[in-house]
Amino acid sequence: MNLRLRTLLEWLLMVLVSATLFVAFFRLNDLLFASLQHAQGINWVFLPAGFRVLLVLVLGLPGALGIVAGNLWLDQAHLHTGDLLPILLAALVSGLGPWAVRQWMTGQRLLDHELKDITAARLLNFVLIYAAVNAVFHQFIRWNFQIANSQPWIDIWPMFMGDTIGALAMLYAFKISMPWLKAWAHRRI
């Protein structure tokens, strides 16, 4: 198999895995935290935000594109209602927003491209900047397209908090599970 085809297949697999994980955690979040929903699409705890962070930090652009694809999959029922542009923009913000934050932080030397020197403080900065970017741009879309019952100046705060709490919960769960995952992987070798 030539190198270009192999690279393309690897990218497609990473996008597919990313989309599947994002959709699965979106469904899990609905199951666990439906009572903490502030408004349609705005949650006080949003676990998929953690997967946005992990997928973009680990996989880069393929992870971001997987998040875009996962969002489009989740919103497929609304794609035929004539609201295509706000749905597409929200999907792009969901996936490319954290990727853009990663690119900016890498350019500012706040993150290493290969994540070699990542610290808890740098990870927290990434989460906070990503959550702010995500909340601002999502609320801008809701305001610009006059989404029913949207109150951008109010809704921005629960979205920011939900993304921050969800991302931190997922990152800490991942950190806590690392020794177990390493031991499991070691037994498999």
Side-chain angles (χ1 to χ4, degrees), residues 1-16 62 65:
M1 183 180 322
N2 74 29
L3 185 59
R4 284 186 183 183
L5 181 59
R6 181 177 178 188
T7 303
L8 177 64
L9 290 174
E10 288 173 356
W11 266 59
L12 288 174
L13 181 62
M14 288 189 285
V15 169
L16 181 63
L65 295 175

Side-chain angles (χ1 to χ4, degrees), residues 124-143:
L124 178 61
N125 285 337
F126 180 87
V127 167
L128 292 173
I129 294 168
Y130 143 73
V133 165
N134 190 61
V136 166
F137 280 98
H138 270 90
Q139 293 312 309
F140 177 76
I141 292 166
R142 292 172 68 89
W143 170 76

Side-chain angles (χ1 to χ4, degrees), residues 63-175:
L65 295 175
I67 295 165
V68 172
N71 270 280
L72 291 174
W73 174 262
L74 290 166
D75 287 335
Q76 66 182 324
H78 303 287
L79 292 176
H80 307 293
T81 63
D83 296 331
L84 181 62
L85 188 56
I87 290 169
L88 181 59
L89 289 173
L92 289 170
V93 166
S94 292
L96 297 180
W99 179 78
V101 169
R102 180 182 186 212
Q103 295 301 105
W104 178 79
M105 288 184 73
T106 300
Q108 297 296 310
R109 300 188 200 287
L110 299 171
L111 276 180
D112 181 66
H113 182 69
E114 296 177 3
L115 304 177
K116 290 180 185 175
D117 61 348
I118 196 158
T119 63
R122 289 179 179 183
L123 200 52
L124 178 61
N125 285 337
F126 180 87
V127 167
L128 292 173
I129 294 168
Y130 143 73
V133 165
N134 190 61
V136 166
F137 280 98
H138 270 90
Q139 293 312 309
F140 177 76
I141 292 166
R142 292 172 68 89
W143 170 76
N144 193 51
F145 289 95
Q146 301 176 351
I147 306 295
N149 300 321
S150 91
Q151 302 173 45
W153 293 112
I154 295 171
D155 296 341
I156 196 169
W157 303 111
M159 183 172 268
F160 171 77
M161 291 305 299
D163 283 352
T164 302
I165 292 167
L168 292 175
M170 289 298 299
L171 290 171
Y172 279 107
F174 189 71
K175 180 181 177 175

